[in-house]
C-alpha cells in the first residue's frame, strides 16, 4: 500500500487483531478480522464518495507525526464532583466520581454479541434499499471499519429499565501515547430509561470514536457534545443510533477548530413513533476543517426527525454540513425537518451545505432549507448605532445565529448545556 | 434655488451665528448624501438647539430616513459633501458606535430582530459601551438591573421584556415601544425618531408619545421624522420642516404640520412646475 494513512491504519488494525486473540471472545477477534479484511478491500474514501466529497481524509496524515505532549489533567470542581466523569484514553477507562444508581459501566469487549450489530453502510441515493452497498459506498465508512478492527478501548454503558438518571454523565476523550486512538462504545438504554450524557474531546493527534446507541422502548437519550479542538488535532466520531418504539434521542453538538473534526450520526428507527433531534454548531476558523453529517434512515412509520445546523466559516477554514433524510416505502406519517444555515465570514473560507430528502412513502411531512450568507449588515448597524463596538456587535450576531441550533426545542437540558458552551 | 428656498435656508441656518442664542446641539450644513448611485440629500441645512423638538415631514422618497441614517452613520449612506456637528464634534468623522457615545440615538423605523440575544444583555452591553466611550464607570449587573427596572416602570413596559430576545416575536407596536425604552435607558442628547408612528394603532401611538414626552427635560433634543401630523398632536414640536428632493424647502412652527395635513404635498409639484 502506498497510502500513508491507509498503511498506518492497516498496521494498527492488524496489530489489534493479533493482540485480541486469546484475550477477547473468539467471535470478537473474528469480527475484528472481518472488519480489517473489509477495510483492506475497500480502501480510503476519495472525492467520488459523496460523504467525503468535500472532506479530505488524508488531512489526518499531517498529524501522524505529532508528538504527543498532552499535559492535560482532569480537574474537577465542586459541581463536577457531583457528576460522574468517564475518562477514555489509550490508558483505558477511568471513572471519576460514582456512577449513578441504575447505570452499569463495563469494557466494551464484555458487551454481548447481540449489541454488536453491523452498521448499515448507507449513502443518500440508496433510499430504495434494493441495491446492495457498492464498494464506493462502503468506502465512506473506512474509518469505521478500521475502528472496529483496531479499537483499543471503549465502554459498554447500560442504563437499567425505567431508570431516570438525574445526574449528567460526562465523557472525556484524550490520548497520551497512541498517535491515533480508536475508541468503540456501546450505550444501551433499556426500556423506559432516561440519561443525559456530555462528551468532549482533547485529542493530542487523532481520536476516532465509534458509538452504538441502543434506545429501548420509551427510552430517552440526550447527548451534548463539545468538540473544541487544538489546531493540530483531529476528532472523528461515527454514531449509529437505533430507536425502538416511542424512543427518543436528542443531541446538541458544538464544534470548534481542529485540523479535521468530522462527525456523522446515522439514526435508524426500528419501530414506530420515534423522535430524534439534533442541533449542530460549527465555528470553523484558522485553517480548520469541520464536517457534520446527519442521516435519518426512516424505515418505520411515524418517525419524527429534526436537524438544525448553524455553521460559520472564517479565515481559511472549511465547514461542511450535510443532512439526509430517507423515508422508505410504507413509512407513512413521518416528519422530517432539516434547516441548514451558514455564515461565510471571509473570502478564503469555504462552506459546503447540503440538505437532502428522499421520500418513498406517501404520507410524509418533509421540509428542508439551506442558506449561505454574510452577517446581516442592518443588524450590525442596529447594534453599533446603540454604541456597541463593531467586534462586540459581530460576536453578538454570531451568538444570535448559532443560538438557533440550541433553541430548536424547549428541552431544558439543551439550554443548560448551551450555558457551558458560552464559557468555552 | 428659488426665493422661497433661500428664505428657508436662512430660516434653518441663520441662528447658528446669532449672538446671545444657545449654541446648537446639532448643526447640519450643506449635507449631500448618496445611497448607491442615487443622490438623496442635496444640500440639507438644519440647526437643532438643546431642548428643541424638530419635526421633519415630507413626501415619500424625500430623504427623511436617509437624513436619520446619514447622521447615525449607516454604512450604505455615503456622505459626499457638507458637515454635521453634534455638540461641536464632527459626526461624519465618527463610527456609528462613537456617534452613539456622543449622545446620538436613532429609533429605527424597522427595528431589527436579534434572536438568541436577550434585551437585558443587549442593553447592558450598549449602555456600558457608551459609558466606557465617555470615560464613565461601567454599571455592574445589580446597578443595571435597578436602572432598567425603574425605566420599565416609568414606561409601563411588560416585566418579561428583559428576558425576551431583542425584538423577536414582538408586534409592530412592541418593537417601537422597545425603541423608546432603549432610548430611555441610554439617555441620549439627541434622539432621531424615524417614522416611529408608522404601523401603530392609536393606543400604541399614545404610549410611544408619552415615553418621548417623559424624556423632554429642556436639554434633550428630538428630531421626529414623520409623514403624519397625528404624532405631533402628542409630541409638540418647536419647529416643523418640509423635506423635499433632498433639501428642506420650508420651515415653520407647529401650524405648518396642520397645514400639511390639510393640503398635502401637492404644492411641492406645483412649485417644481413653476
Amino acid at each position: 500500500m502506498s497510502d500513508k494513512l491507509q498503511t498506518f491504519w492497516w498496521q494498527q488494525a492488524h496489530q489489534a487483531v493479533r493482540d485480541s486473540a486469546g484475550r477477547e471472545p473468539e467471535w470478537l477477534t473474528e469480527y475484528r478480522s472481518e472488519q480489517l479484511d473489509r477495510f483492506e478491500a475497500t480502501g480510503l474514501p476519495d472525492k467520488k464518495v459523496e460523504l467525503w466529497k468535500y472532506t479530505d481524509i488524508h488531512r489526518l496524515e499531517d498529524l501522524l507525526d505529532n508528538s504527543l505532549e498532552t499535559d492535560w489533567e482532569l480537574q474537577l470542581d465542586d459541581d463536577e464532583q457531583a457528576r460522574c466523569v468517564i475518562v477514555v484514553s489509550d490508558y483505558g477507562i477511568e471513572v471519576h466520581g460514582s456512577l449513578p444508581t441504575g447505570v452499569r459501566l463495563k469494557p466494551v469487549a464484555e458487551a454481548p454479541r447481540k449489541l454488536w450489530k453491523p452498521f448499515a453502510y448507507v449513502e443518500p441515493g440508496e433510499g430504495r434499499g434494493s441495491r446492495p452497498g457498492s464498494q464506493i459506498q462502503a468506502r465512506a465508512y473506512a474509518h469505521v471499519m478500521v475502528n472496529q478492527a483496531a479499537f483499543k478501548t471503549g465502554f459498554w454503558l447500560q442504563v437499567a429499565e425505567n431508570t431516570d438518571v438525574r445526574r449528567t454523565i460526562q465523557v472525556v476523550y484524550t490520548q497520551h501515547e497512541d498517535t491515533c486512538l480508536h475508541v468503540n462504545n456501546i450505550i444501551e438504554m433499556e426500556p423506559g430509561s432516561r440519561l443525559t450524557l456530555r462528551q468532549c474531546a482533547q485529542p493530542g493527534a487523532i481520536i476516532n470514536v465509534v458509538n452504538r446507541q441502543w434506545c429501548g422502548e420509551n427510552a430517552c437519550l440526550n447527548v451534548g457534545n463539545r468538540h473544541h479542538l487544538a489546531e493540530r488535532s483531529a476528532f472523528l466520531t461515527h454514531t449509529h443510533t437505533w430507536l425502538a418504539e416511542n424512543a427518543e434521542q436528542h443531541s446538541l453538538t458544538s464544534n470548534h477548530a481542529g485540523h479535521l473534526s468530522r462527525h456523522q450520526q446515522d439514526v435508524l428507527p426500528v419501530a414506530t413513533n420515534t423522535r430524534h433531534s439534533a442541533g449542530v454548531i460549527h465555528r470553523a476558523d484558522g485553517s480548520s476543517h469541520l464536517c457534520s453529517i446527519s442521516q435519518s434512515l426512516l424505515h418505520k412509520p411515524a418517525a419524527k426527525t429534526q436537524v438544525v445546523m448553524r455553521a460559520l466559516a472564517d479565515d481559511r477554514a472549511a465547514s461542511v454540513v450535510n443532512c439526509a433524510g430517507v423515508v422508505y416505502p410504507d413509512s407513512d406519517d413521518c416528519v422530517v425537518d432539516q434547516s441548514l444555515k451558514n455564515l461565510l465570514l471571509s473570502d478564503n473560507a469555504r462552506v459546503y451545505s447540503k440538505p437532502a430528502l428522499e421520500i418513498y412513502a406517501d404520507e410524509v411531512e418533509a421540509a428542508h432549507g439551506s442558506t449561505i450568507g454574510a452577517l446581516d449588515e442592518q443588524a450590525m448597524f442596529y447594534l453599533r448605532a446603540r454604541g456597541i463596538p463593531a467586534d462586540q456587535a459581530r460576536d453578538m450576531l454570531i451568538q444570535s445565529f448559532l443560538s438557533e441550533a440550541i433553541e430548536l426545542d424547549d428541552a431544558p437540558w439543551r439550554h443548560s448545556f448551551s450555558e457551558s458552551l458560552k464559557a468555552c | 434655488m428659488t426665493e422661497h428656498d433661500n428664505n428657508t435656508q436662512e430660516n434653518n441656518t441663520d441662528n447658528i451665528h446669532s449672538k446671545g442664542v444657545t449654541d446648537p446641539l446639532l448643526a447640519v450644513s450643506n449635507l449631500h448624501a448618496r445611497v448607491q448611485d442615487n443622490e438623496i440629500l442635496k444640500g440639507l441645512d438644519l440647526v437643532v438647539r438643546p431642548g428643541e423638538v424638530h419635526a421633519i415631514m415630507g413626501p415619500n422618497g424625500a430623504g427623511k430616513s436617509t437624513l436619520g441614517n446619514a447622521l447615525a452613520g449607516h454604512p450604505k449612506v455615503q456622505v459626499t459633501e457638507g458637515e454635521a456637528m453634534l455638540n461641536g464634534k464632527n459626526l461624519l468623522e465618527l463610527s456609528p458606535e462613537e456617534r452613539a457615545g456622543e449622545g446620538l440615538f436613532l429609533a429605527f423605523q424597522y427595528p431589527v430582530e436579534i434572536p438568541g440575544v436577550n434585551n437585558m444583555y443587549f442593553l447592558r452591553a450598549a449602555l456600558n459601551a457608551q459609558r466606557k466611550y465617555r470615560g464613565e464607570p461601567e454599571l455592574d449587573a445589580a446597578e443595571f438591573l435597578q436602572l432598567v427596572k425603574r425605566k420599565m416602570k416609568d414606561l409601563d413596559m411588560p416585566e418579561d421584556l428583559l428576558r425576551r430576545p431583542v425584538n423577536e416575536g414582538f408586534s409592530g407596536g412592541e418593537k417601537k415601544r422597545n425603541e423608546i425604552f432603549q432610548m430611555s435607558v441610554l439617555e441620549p442628547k439627541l434622539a432621531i425618531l424615524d417614522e416611529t408612528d408608522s404601523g401603530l394603532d392609536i393606543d400604541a401611538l399614545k404610549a410611544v408619545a408619552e415615553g418621548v414626552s417623559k424624556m423632554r427635560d429642556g436639554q434633550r433634543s428630538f428630531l421626529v421624522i414623520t409623514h403624519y401630523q397625528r404624532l405631533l398632536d402628542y409630541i409638540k414640536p418647536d419647529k416643523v420642516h418640509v423635506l423635499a428632493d433632498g433639501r428642506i424647502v420650508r420651515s415653520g412652527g407647529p401650524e405648518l404640520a396642520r397645514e400639511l395635513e390639510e393640503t398635502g404635498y401637492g404644492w411641492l409639484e406645483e412649485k417644481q412646475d413653476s
Side-chain angles (χ1 to χ4, degrees):
Chain A
M1 291 184 199
S2 58
D3 191 296
K4 188 177 170 186
L5 178 64
Q6 187 159 339
T7 305
F8 184 88
W9 272 357
W10 186 86
Q11 286 171 345
Q12 269 195 317
H14 187 69
Q15 183 67 41
V17 172
R18 280 202 313 196
D19 291 349
S20 160
R23 291 198 303 120
E24 290 176 350
E26 200 174 324
W27 65 264
L28 185 52
T29 305
E30 280 172 21
Y31 174 75
R32 284 181 184 265
S33 185
E34 282 167 18
Q35 295 295 315
L36 173 59
D37 291 344
R38 198 161 182 183
F39 170 65
E40 203 172 3
T42 57
L44 295 173
D46 54 27
K47 286 183 188 298
K48 291 177 191 164
V49 178
E50 185 62 29
L51 292 174
W52 289 87
K53 193 168 185 174
Y54 305 108
T55 301
D56 185 0
I57 198 168
H58 292 91
R59 284 176 73 89
L60 296 176
E61 290 178 354
D62 302 337
L63 307 175
L64 292 179
D65 299 324
N66 267 20
S67 62
L68 290 170
E69 294 170 357
T70 312
D71 53 0
W72 178 81
E73 223 174 282
L74 181 66
Q75 298 196 342
L76 302 175
D77 61 28
D78 288 345
D79 282 349
E80 283 171 333
Q81 291 281 13
R83 295 193 201 112
C84 167
V85 183
I86 302 169
V87 179
V88 182
S89 74
D90 37 3
Y91 291 170
I93 295 166
E94 290 172 56
V95 180
H96 298 255
S98 59
L99 283 170
T101 308
V103 176
R104 290 181 290 275
L105 186 77
K106 290 185 177 174
V108 70
E110 293 181 25
R113 194 172 183 177
K114 64 173 185 178
L115 296 178
W116 292 72
K117 189 174 175 177
F119 300 112
Y121 295 141
V122 183
E123 269 211 277
E126 209 186 358
R128 287 176 184 83
S130 56
R131 289 182 294 140
S134 67
Q135 285 296 93
I136 285 181
Q137 285 153 349
R139 264 193 298 175
Y141 293 81
H143 63 302
V144 178
M145 294 170 196
V146 80
N147 173 291
Q148 294 297 281
F151 69 88
K152 186 170 188 175
T153 186
F155 56 76
W156 166 33
L157 190 143
Q158 201 178 16
V159 183
E161 194 168 344
N162 295 324
T163 303
D164 185 355
V165 182
R166 299 296 175 98
R167 283 160 60 200
T168 299
I169 294 180
Q170 191 175 356
V171 181
V172 182
Y173 300 97
T174 190
Q175 63 193 132
H176 304 283
E177 292 172 358
D178 291 4
T179 308
C180 181
L181 173 64
H182 299 281
V183 179
N184 181 26
N185 298 324
I186 294 175
I187 296 173
E188 186 186 6
M189 303 286 296
E190 291 189 345
S193 61
R194 297 181 74 87
L195 174 69
T196 298
L197 204 64
R198 288 184 184 184
Q199 303 188 100
C200 68
Q202 301 200 351
I206 305 164
I207 299 181
N208 177 23
V209 179
V210 169
N211 292 303
R212 284 177 172 86
Q213 298 175 345
W214 294 90
C215 296
E217 283 175 24
N218 299 306
C220 177
L221 174 63
N222 299 321
V223 183
N225 300 303
R226 179 180 165 271
H227 307 320
H228 293 194
L229 307 186
E231 191 181 345
R232 281 190 60 78
S233 67
F235 190 48
L236 281 71
T237 65
H238 179 84
T239 302
H240 222 81
T241 305
W242 289 272
L243 298 171
E245 191 161 359
N246 293 321
E248 297 181 28
Q249 198 272 349
H250 306 284
S251 67
L252 173 62
T253 302
S254 170
N255 296 313
H256 178 220
H259 195 63
L260 177 58
S261 186
R262 185 188 187 275
H263 310 282
Q264 179 174 340
Q265 182 177 22
D266 291 356
V267 178
L268 282 95
V270 294
T272 59
N273 277 318
T274 58
R275 298 285 177 274
H276 162 248
S277 72
V280 176
I281 291 168
H282 273 195
R283 292 186 74 136
D285 53 17
S287 58
S288 60
H289 186 111
L290 310 185
C291 173
S292 289
I293 295 166
S294 171
Q295 299 199 112
S296 300
L297 309 165
L298 310 182
H299 289 269
K300 300 290 178 183
K304 185 176 178 183
T305 177
Q306 184 186 16
V307 180
V308 176
M309 293 180 168
R310 295 291 178 265
L312 62 89
D314 204 350
D315 306 322
R316 288 160 287 116
S319 168
V320 183
V321 286
N322 186 330
C323 198
V326 185
V327 183
Y328 289 80
D330 302 324
S331 299
D332 290 326
D333 301 322
C334 284
V335 179
V336 187
D337 189 5
Q338 303 168 352
S339 168
L340 281 59
K341 290 185 185 173
N342 305 271
L343 281 181
L344 198 50
L345 299 178
S346 90
D347 291 342
N348 295 321
R350 287 168 294 144
V351 164
Y352 304 97
S353 179
K354 186 186 168 194
L357 291 172
E358 289 181 59
I359 312 292
Y360 303 105
D362 294 329
E363 297 296 327
V364 173
E365 200 179 301
H368 67 69
S370 170
T371 62
I372 301 175
L375 277 179
D376 182 350
E377 204 172 86
Q378 185 67 7
M380 270 296 281
F381 175 58
Y382 187 74
L383 295 178
R384 295 181 70 190
R386 295 292 175 261
I388 297 171
D391 285 353
Q392 196 180 350
R394 190 175 186 264
D395 287 347
M396 282 173 97
L397 290 182
I398 287 171
Q399 184 193 327
S400 161
F401 171 77
L402 298 178
S403 70
E404 292 176 22
I406 295 167
E407 291 166 359
L408 81 166
D409 60 24
D410 291 329
W413 76 273
R414 212 184 288 268
H415 287 272
S416 87
F417 180 67
S418 72
E419 288 303 311
S420 72
L421 294 181
K422 283 177 190 167
C424 306
Chain B
M1 193 178 278
T2 64
E3 188 184 342
H4 181 84
D5 287 339
N6 277 327
N7 291 338
T8 304
Q9 203 76 355
E10 280 172 26
N11 194 20
N12 290 326
T13 58
D14 59 0
N15 286 346
I16 299 175
H17 306 293
S18 301
K19 288 182 181 172
V21 180
T22 322
D23 287 338
L25 176 68
L26 176 71
V28 179
S29 63
N30 192 33
L31 193 69
H32 291 252
R34 308 177 72 85
V35 176
Q36 294 176 330
D37 292 335
N38 302 320
E39 186 174 22
I40 309 290
L41 299 182
K42 302 172 180 173
L44 185 141
D45 300 289
L46 180 69
V47 171
V48 180
R49 296 186 188 283
E52 288 182 347
V53 176
H54 287 229
I56 304 280
M57 302 181 77
N60 289 329
K64 300 185 297 297
S65 291
T66 302
L67 172 61
N69 283 325
L71 294 176
H74 196 292
K76 283 194 172 164
V77 179
Q78 189 191 356
V79 175
T80 54
E81 199 180 334
E83 198 176 62
M85 308 293 285
L86 181 72
N87 233 2
K89 277 211 172 176
N90 187 356
L91 280 179
L92 305 181
E93 291 175 349
L94 303 178
S95 65
E97 55 269 34
E98 288 170 331
R99 298 178 198 207
E102 290 294 337
L104 181 77
F105 180 90
L106 173 65
F108 281 56
Q109 186 178 355
Y110 303 108
V112 176
E113 293 187 10
I114 307 176
V117 176
N118 67 44
N119 268 303
M120 177 88 166
Y121 174 64
F122 159 69
L123 258 180
R124 190 172 161 220
L127 181 63
N128 278 337
Q130 290 197 17
R131 292 176 69 90
K132 190 176 175 186
Y133 175 82
R134 295 192 287 263
E136 299 167 4
E138 295 179 23
L139 296 189
D140 64 28
E143 290 168 326
F144 178 75
L145 191 61
Q146 204 176 8
L147 171 74
V148 288
K149 284 200 165 171
R150 197 176 70 236
K151 299 286 184 184
M152 285 172 69
K153 199 175 169 188
D154 287 350
L155 295 176
D156 197 23
M157 300 297 284
E159 282 185 6
D160 66 345
L161 176 83
L162 293 176
R163 291 193 303 274
R164 292 171 67 183
V166 181
N167 293 325
E168 192 189 34
F170 284 30
S171 67
E174 282 179 317
K175 284 181 180 173
K176 298 296 174 78
R177 286 187 69 193
N178 195 27
E179 293 291 284
I180 302 303
F181 174 63
Q182 290 174 26
M183 181 173 75
S184 155
V185 172
L186 297 173
E187 298 185 337
K189 292 174 185 157
L190 173 68
I192 302 169
L193 310 185
D194 186 6
E195 297 196 26
T196 300
D197 53 339
S198 66
L200 295 188
D201 60 33
I202 198 70
D203 291 334
L205 184 74
K206 278 183 187 171
V208 164
E210 276 172 22
V212 172
S213 298
K214 282 179 182 170
M215 290 193 67
R216 293 185 72 170
D217 60 359
Q219 287 300 309
R220 185 169 292 117
S221 303
F222 293 87
L223 200 56
V224 181
I225 296 169
T226 182
H227 273 290
Y228 306 107
Q229 197 262 334
R230 61 175 191 166
L231 178 64
L232 305 179
D233 286 341
Y234 302 101
I235 305 173
K236 302 289 182 197
D238 299 297
K239 288 190 178 178
V240 175
H241 309 279
V242 180
L243 182 60
D245 195 26
R247 273 180 292 190
I248 288 176
V249 295
R250 204 174 154 195
S251 296
E255 70 286 352
L256 178 56
R258 284 191 289 276
E259 183 189 327
L260 290 170
E261 190 75 7
E262 287 168 15
T263 60
Y265 297 106
W267 56 273
L268 285 170
E269 287 173 23
E270 288 165 19
K271 200 176 90 166
Q272 274 181 339
D273 293 343
S274 68

